[in-house]
Amino acid sequence: MNYAVIKKNDIANGPGVRVSLFVSGCRHHCRNCFNREAWDFSYGQPFTRDTIDEILNALAPSYVAGLSFLGGEPLEPENQGSLLELARLFKERFPEKTLWCYTGFTFETDLLTGSVGDPAVLRELLSYIDVLVDGKFVEELKDAGLIFRGSSNQNIIDMPKSLAAGRMVLLEGSWRRTMGSGDIDEI
C-alpha cells in the first residue's frame, strides 16, 4: 500500500484534533473529487512499519482524539491488510481514542455483504472502526454546510451498533447538524 499524506493535527475529518491518514488508490473516481491524485495506487510513499510508528507516535498526545482513514479509498482490497495492521495496533495502544473511516463504498450494499476484498479481513477491519462515513461523493448533492461529509447522500454510521444489529445505525450527535443552520440534517 502507498499513502498520499499524514495530517497530524487535522480538525476536519472527525471530532477533535485527529491524525488523518490519506491512502493511495481509488476506483470510484467521483466527479470533482478533492483528492484526485490519490486515485493512483502508486501515488505517494510506501506504507511501512516506520509509517505505522510515525502515526502511533503522533497519536500519543492526550489532546489527540483519534485516527481517521481517508483516501483515495481506504477500503480498496489492496489497502485493507495494511490498514488492519494499523487499526489493531491503534486500538491496542489507544482504546479510548476513536477510529473514523471515510469510504465511497456503501455499508449495507458493499461492506456488510463482504463483497469488497477478503471478507474475513474486511470484517475484522470494520470491527475496529468506531465511525464510518460511507457513500461516494456526489457533486450534485454537495453541501458545504454538512459536517464531516461532502454530499448529503453520505451516511455517518455508528459501526459498533451497526455490526451488532447487522444493519446500518446512524451516529447520533451534534455533528449531524448542518453548519450555521441549527436544523437537523436529514439523510
Side-chain angles (χ1 to χ4, degrees), residues 141-186:
L141 300 175
K142 180 180 178 178
D143 181 346
L146 295 172
I147 298 175
F148 302 137
R149 55 201 167 109
S151 58
S152 62
N153 64 298
Q154 296 171 313
N155 299 297
I156 302 175
I157 302 169
D158 183 319
M159 284 303 294
K161 288 181 180 178
S162 295
L163 291 174
R167 63 175 176 75
M168 181 171 55
V169 177
L170 297 177
L171 186 68
E172 297 178 14
S174 61
W175 44 81
R176 300 211 7 110
R177 298 180 184 273
T178 57
M179 295 175 63
S181 73
D183 296 328
I184 296 294
D185 180 65
E186 297 188 27

Side-chain angles (χ1 to χ4, degrees), residues 5-186:
V5 69
I6 300 167
K7 292 186 178 182
K8 296 181 180 171
N9 290 290
D10 189 1
I11 59 169
N13 296 300
V17 176
R18 309 185 70 75
V19 175
S20 292
L21 171 65
F22 291 78
V23 302
S24 296
C26 182
R27 294 182 180 91
H28 299 303
H29 297 188
C30 301
R31 189 163 59 93
N32 291 323
C33 172
F34 80 98
N35 201 10
R36 196 177 181 111
E37 62 275 0
W39 290 356
D40 182 351
F41 283 86
S42 61
Y43 178 77
Q45 303 173 58
F47 186 81
T48 65
R49 181 58 205 207
D50 287 342
T51 310
I52 291 174
D53 291 342
E54 177 184 354
I55 292 168
L56 293 174
N57 289 335
L59 287 158
S62 61
Y63 66 83
V64 175
L67 175 63
S68 296
F69 293 157
L70 304 98
E73 172 55 67
L75 299 182
E76 287 284 8
E78 295 87 342
N79 296 335
Q80 291 177 14
S82 295
L83 292 181
L84 175 57
E85 180 183 0
L86 175 57
R88 277 185 196 136
L89 292 168
F90 167 71
K91 284 298 188 176
E92 186 178 289
R93 192 181 227 180
F94 305 107
E96 74 286 1
K97 298 186 182 200
T98 60
L99 176 56
W100 280 51
C101 180
Y102 288 78
T103 181
F105 293 109
T106 57
F107 176 70
E108 290 184 319
T109 306
D110 301 318
L111 304 177
L112 193 59
T113 62
S115 64
V116 179
D118 180 321
V121 171
L122 177 61
R123 182 76 177 181
E124 185 179 353
L125 178 56
L126 292 175
S127 76
Y128 293 117
I129 297 170
D130 297 292
V131 177
L132 183 78
V133 180
D134 83 335
K136 294 179 184 179
F137 170 73
V138 177
E139 177 70 22
E140 295 76 23
L141 300 175
K142 180 180 178 178
D143 181 346
L146 295 172
I147 298 175
F148 302 137
R149 55 201 167 109
S151 58
S152 62
N153 64 298
Q154 296 171 313
N155 299 297
I156 302 175
I157 302 169
D158 183 319
M159 284 303 294
K161 288 181 180 178
S162 295
L163 291 174
R167 63 175 176 75
M168 181 171 55
V169 177
L170 297 177
L171 186 68
E172 297 178 14
S174 61
W175 44 81
R176 300 211 7 110
R177 298 180 184 273
T178 57
M179 295 175 63
S181 73
D183 296 328
I184 296 294
D185 180 65
E186 297 188 27

